[in-house]
């Protein structure tokens, strides 16, 4: 077997199952899961109709690079959403559909990491935020690289300080994952930080994989989160060199089961990544592609989605603010809050007493030099319907009171 498989960490939900094992909640109140970030709002009707009307496409092998109509719809969406210049995103060179960002975030590292020819040389580094979406780490390990965790914690408003990453780390790095809006904090990387990142990535010849899969879930009274292509464009980097962004319909359009997203950016990198993907074999079936076109072309359902999340944050924060320092995230659908103690104990007791599952922060992070940025924090996904989120918040408040 590949020895690197043994380096993979258990997934957060395996640890959670262990934490809850053997506990029978003392309440008869129904179980509410705040642990998994699986959207529960209804998928858009336009997408369901497109799926029903395109089922005949199952009779054909799909192309790995996807139908041009899908790539065009994605290029148009990117142009509208991130105020790019018409024609700047070339659907033939800058866009590739992927079967959800999870597989793409993983396979991207497999395609781009160059292993040292000298077996005694140190492994290349893949930089990633801490806490983080665990796929980044698994992707680095199975690509034969070493993860380097840069902190995104409360001392820095959950934002990365790219200039604090030592030069010798940058020198060994080949790839950096960034996540904005962040999972779990919802923090949005600002222009100044992205500019620093681009300067450092250029200096050290490092590729940037920007996971933007929460970019459409934001408070619609505020400015939409900026994307890295948008910032590159503002800086005059119209070839998107060294940048690949990852987007998904899972959160934006409540279609996690569709497995549809895209990567966009550096044409030279994507050409090679397409080559890799041809062998990997993750082409999207034609009905999935047609459904995706309908979803990317419609913003009405996304606005509705944002409205639902805003209502949930309003209601839940009203209930929880007197007992927890919970605050509204810049974007995304998670409450990431300090619980003032051992968060694993908090989650265990919350389940035992209130039949509510939340995710301990430490299951999303790694301790570096004895400091674990997830310790003391809990992630709660407001994905359930409003009434369930309110019920959960009231039970958490009762639990804490
Ligand atoms: C930060 C982040 N990136 C990527 C994904 C993967 O989403 P999908 O594969 O559904 O596009 C998730 C899913 O929860 C996530 O939280």
């Amino acid at each position: 077997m590949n020895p690197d498989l043994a380096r993979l960490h258990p997934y957060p939900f395996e640890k959670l199952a262990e934490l809850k094992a053997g506990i029978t909640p003392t309440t008869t109140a129904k179980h509410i899961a705040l642990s998994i970030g699986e959207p529960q709002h209804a998928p858009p009707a336009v997408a369901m109709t497109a799926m029903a009307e395109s089922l005949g496409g199952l009779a054909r092998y799909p192309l790995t690079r996807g139908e041009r109509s899908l790539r065009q719809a994605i290029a148009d969406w990117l142009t509208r959403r991130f105020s790019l210049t018409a024609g700047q995103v070339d659907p033939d060179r800058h866009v590739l559909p992927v079967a959800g960002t999870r597989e793409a975030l993983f396979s991207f590292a497999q395609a781009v990491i160059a292993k040292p020819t000298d077996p005694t040389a140190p492994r290349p580094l893949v930089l990633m935020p801490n806490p983080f979406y665990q796929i980044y780490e698994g992707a680095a390990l199975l690509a034969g690289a070493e993860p380097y965790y840069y902190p995104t914690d409360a001392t820095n408003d959950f934002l990365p300080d790219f200039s604090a990453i030592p030069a010798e780390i940058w020198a060994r790095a080949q790839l950096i994952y960034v996540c904005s809006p962040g999972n779990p904090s919802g923090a949005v990387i600002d222009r100044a930080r992205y500019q620093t990142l681009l300067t450092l990535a250029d200096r050290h010849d490092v590729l940037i994989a920007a996971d933007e899969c929460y970019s459409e879930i934001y408070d619609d009274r505020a400015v939409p989160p900026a994307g890295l292509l948008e910032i590159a464009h503002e800086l005059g980097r119209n070839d998107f060199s060294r940048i690949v962004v990852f987007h998904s319909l899972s959160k934006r359009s409540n279609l996690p089961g569709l497995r549809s997203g895209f990567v966009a950016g550096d044409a030279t990198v994507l050409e090679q990544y397409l080559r890799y993907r041809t062998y990997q074999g993750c082409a999207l079936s034609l009905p999935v592609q047609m459904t995706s076109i309908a979803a990317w072309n419609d913003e009405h359902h996304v606005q509705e989605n944002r409205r639902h999340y805003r209502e949930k944050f309003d209601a839940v924060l009203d209930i929880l603010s007197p007992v927890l320092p919970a605050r509204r995230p810049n974007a995304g659908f998670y409450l990431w809050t300090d619980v003032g103690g051992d968060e694993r104990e908090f989650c265990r007791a919350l389940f035992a007493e209130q039949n509510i599952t939340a995710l301990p922060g430490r299951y999303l992070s790694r301790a570096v030099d004895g400091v674990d940025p997830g310790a003391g924090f809990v992630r709660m996904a407001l994905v359930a319907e409003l009434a369930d989120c309110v019920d959960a918040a009231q039970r958490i408040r009762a639990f804490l009171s």
Side-chain angles (χ1 to χ4, degrees):
M1 297 299 287
N2 178 347
D4 285 336
L5 280 169
R7 304 171 73 215
L8 295 176
H9 290 255
Y11 216 59
F13 300 108
E14 289 175 63
K15 294 182 188 170
L16 188 58
E18 222 170 275
L19 183 80
K20 290 166 59 184
I23 302 173
T24 308
T26 49
T27 170
T28 51
K30 76 169 183 180
H31 178 245
I32 300 178
L34 302 177
S35 43
I36 303 184
E38 180 186 61
Q40 306 285 323
H41 303 164
V46 280
M48 305 303 258
T49 307
M51 171 67 90
E53 286 172 356
S54 59
L55 288 174
L58 291 174
R60 277 180 52 204
Y61 270 125
L63 298 172
T64 304
R65 67 160 69 238
E67 295 294 296
R68 191 164 198 289
S69 52
L70 172 58
R71 283 180 280 113
Q72 184 68 61
I74 292 169
D76 292 346
W77 180 80
L78 278 171
T79 306
R80 285 193 303 274
R81 168 63 176 85
F82 295 113
S83 312
L84 305 174
T85 311
Q88 187 182 352
V89 181
D90 180 346
D92 294 331
R93 294 170 60 243
H94 292 127
V95 175
L96 270 185
V98 296
T101 46
R102 180 183 178 128
E103 68 88 357
L105 288 160
F106 178 81
S107 61
F108 190 67
Q110 316 314 307
V112 305
I113 294 296
K115 296 184 189 76
T117 40
D118 171 3
T120 62
R123 290 175 187 250
L125 293 178
V126 173
L127 281 42
M128 62 196 68
N130 190 23
F132 56 96
Y133 179 52
Q134 197 159 312
I135 296 300
Y136 312 150
E137 182 189 59
L141 292 169
L142 288 180
E146 204 65 61
Y148 174 88
Y149 310 100
Y150 60 83
T152 51
D153 57 27
T155 60
N156 234 342
D157 256 343
F158 307 103
L159 288 167
D161 180 357
F162 299 114
S163 57
I165 300 173
E168 63 271 21
I169 297 296
W170 278 109
R172 266 179 68 198
Q174 292 189 7
L175 173 65
I176 179 169
Y177 286 103
V178 293
C179 186
S180 176
N183 173 4
S185 71
V188 174
I189 300 178
D190 52 90
R191 285 175 164 73
R193 274 170 219 270
Y194 262 151
Q195 201 163 348
T196 305
L197 171 65
L198 287 165
T199 306
L200 287 161
D202 283 345
R203 187 179 304 156
H204 298 282
D205 193 15
V206 173
L207 268 175
I208 304 169
D211 181 353
E212 300 184 350
C213 75
Y214 290 96
S215 70
E216 303 316 290
I217 311 298
Y218 56 87
D219 184 338
D220 47 9
R221 294 164 300 190
V223 182
L228 188 50
L229 294 186
E230 180 177 7
I231 284 163
H233 168 60
E234 284 173 13
L235 295 171
R237 298 171 64 113
N238 290 330
D239 60 353
F240 306 132
S241 61
R242 292 202 177 79
I243 299 168
V244 175
V245 298
F246 294 68
H247 280 269
S248 172
L249 288 174
S250 301
K251 326 286 181 191
R252 173 188 181 270
S253 301
N254 305 317
L255 289 166
L258 186 68
R259 311 313 302 133
S260 177
F262 67 83
V263 297
D266 189 316
T268 316
V269 173
L270 290 191
E271 191 184 349
Q272 293 303 314
Y273 183 41
L274 171 61
R275 193 159 183 231
Y276 177 91
R277 294 185 64 77
T278 309
Y279 284 82
Q280 190 202 12
C282 264
L284 277 61
S285 75
L286 283 166
V288 168
Q289 294 193 49
M290 296 307 121
T291 309
S292 305
I293 293 174
W296 289 118
N297 282 343
D298 182 68
E299 288 300 328
H300 176 71
H301 73 277
V302 193
Q303 286 152 6
E304 277 300 291
N305 211 15
R306 282 195 281 270
R307 192 173 59 75
H308 288 312
Y309 285 119
R310 170 150 58 90
E311 280 170 8
K312 290 195 272 190
F313 275 112
D314 287 347
V316 166
L317 285 169
D318 267 358
I319 300 164
L320 287 183
S321 351
V323 289
L324 278 176
R327 39 175 224 183
R328 191 185 296 267
N330 291 128
F333 48 54
Y334 300 112
L335 273 183
W336 175 241
T337 181
D338 190 344
V339 292
D342 186 327
E343 84 287 4
R344 294 165 301 192
E345 190 44 43
F346 175 97
C347 291
R348 212 187 53 74
L350 180 64
F351 177 64
E353 289 177 33
Q354 295 291 346
N355 204 11
I356 289 173
T357 308
L359 192 66
R362 237 171 288 202
Y363 294 179
L364 297 165
S365 57
R366 299 283 172 259
V368 177
D369 299 331
V371 180
D372 193 321
F377 279 78
V378 163
R379 192 189 80 175
M380 304 178 198
L382 300 193
V383 289
E385 288 306 328
L386 175 65
D388 279 350
C389 288
V390 167
D391 183 12
Q394 279 163 345
R395 279 149 67 184
I396 293 169
R397 182 158 162 172
F399 166 74
L400 286 167
S401 313

